[in-house]
């Protein structure tokens, strides 16, 4: 690993979906009129009939997310690989019935790629902050739920999603965040990436909070506590093998997520621990409350999603 530039995960998606579209004419973007924010502007300029008579891989359905889901489902039945692009709060909740009935139930090859997940819409307020999206969609049969931790992960997992059959929800965020992975890092859907070894506590995180977990592990090490850090980029299917290993080998787990602690990553890990009948899991995330219109860092702090709280929780488990 190396610390490099700061780039938003949505930017990684935008770059990779354009590459994929150029490689495979069956890959389409179904835009709900929010391509600028979701970084599909270059895809539109290079692969749409609006700019090129011989290109037809981009469709803007307007601010009509449920229609976007239906259009994508229809295209998938014709062998296309559509990516529906919008904000997370709309691509999960407003589209939910269509996702269930028209995409997951028939198990169609539709990808829902959403930016502005979690609290990152910040000053836009609670209406735009998707804090329950992954939890809602992970309950749907056939659905895969993915959240990359950085720019590199976003590119690699977007490609994995495009090359893997089935309904998928990819959750990206707005703000530029530190790059964690080198360009040659490898990712497998459903398999966590271990970023640090430790024997005293396991910290399992996803998305932007992986960086917080790594920073907390560094502080803990200075205090004589070693932390195993895992990037659980896929919360469905969950890497139960690695969670089981954490519980068997360490027994003390902290989950960290920018999502409601109910039904998200923390709940998924708790389900494994409960079925094993052992281990302690402490969940750090949005405390079952809506966000407010405030800077992102303040919203995180309001919910204890901080390096300081991870360190404190780890110390209390010793």
């Amino acid at each position: 690993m190396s610390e490099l530039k700061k780039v938003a995960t949505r930017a990684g998606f935008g770059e990779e979906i354009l590459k994929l579209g150029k490689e495979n004419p069956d890959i389409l973007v179904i835009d709900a009129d929010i391509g600028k924010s979701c970084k599909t502007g270059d895809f539109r300029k290079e692969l749409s009939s609006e700019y090129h008579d011989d290109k037809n891989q981009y469709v803007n359905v307007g601010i009509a997310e449920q229609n976007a889901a239906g259009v994508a489902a229809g295209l998938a039945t014709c062998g296309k690989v559509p990516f529906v692009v919008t904000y997370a709060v709309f691509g999960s909740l407003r589209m939910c019935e269509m996702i269930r009935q028209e995409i997951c139930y028939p198990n169609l090859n539709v990808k829902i790629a959403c930016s502005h997940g979690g609290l990152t819409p910040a000053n836009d307020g609670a209406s735009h902050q998707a804090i329950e999206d992954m939890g809602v969609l992970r309950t749907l049969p056939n659905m895969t739920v993915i959240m990359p931790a950085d720019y590199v992960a976003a590119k690699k997992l977007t490609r994995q999603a495009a090359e893997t059959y089935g309904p998928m929800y990819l959750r990206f965020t707005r703000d530029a965040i530190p790059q964690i992975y080198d360009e040659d890092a490898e990712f497998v859907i459903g398999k966590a990436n271990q970023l640090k070894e430790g024997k005293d506590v396991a910290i399992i995180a996803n998305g932007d909070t992986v960086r917080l977990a790594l920073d907390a592990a560094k502080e803990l090490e200075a205090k004589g506590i070693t932390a195993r850090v895992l990037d659980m980029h896929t919360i469905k299917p969950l890497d139960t093998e690695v969670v089981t290993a954490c519980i068997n080998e360490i027994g003390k787990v902290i989950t960290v997520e920018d999502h409601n602690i109910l039904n998200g990553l923390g709940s998924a890990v708790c389900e494994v621990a409960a079925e094993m009948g052992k281990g302690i899991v402490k969940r750090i995330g949005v405390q079952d409350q809506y966000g407010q219109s405030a800077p992102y860092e303040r919203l995180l702090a309001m919910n204890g999603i901080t390096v300081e709280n991870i360190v404190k929780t780890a110390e209390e488990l010793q």
Side-chain angles (χ1 to χ4, degrees), residues 134-200:
M134 292 192 292
V136 169
L137 295 182
R138 85 177 182 97
T139 65
L140 297 179
N142 297 323
M143 177 62 79
T144 295
V145 180
I146 297 169
M147 187 176 187
D150 76 348
Y151 162 79
V152 173
K155 293 195 296 180
K156 297 294 183 73
L157 288 165
T158 296
R159 180 167 290 271
Q160 285 260 317
E163 296 174 351
T164 304
Y165 186 91
M168 296 193 185
Y169 179 66
L170 296 99
R171 189 202 213 209
F172 307 107
T173 49
R174 183 177 71 176
D175 295 352
I177 56 175
Q179 186 172 320
I180 295 169
Y181 289 102
D182 293 326
E183 291 288 345
D184 60 355
E186 296 183 358
F187 295 82
V188 177
I189 291 173
K191 293 294 179 183
N193 285 15
Q194 182 169 308
L195 304 180
K196 188 179 181 301
E197 182 54 278
K199 60 181 178 60
D200 298 313

Side-chain angles (χ1 to χ4, degrees), residues 15 19-20 38 82 87 177 182 220 231 297 307:
E15 290 181 24
K19 290 181 184 177
L20 288 163
C38 294
Y87 280 179
I177 56 175
D182 293 326
L220 286 166
D231 171 12
E297 296 298 329
V307 171

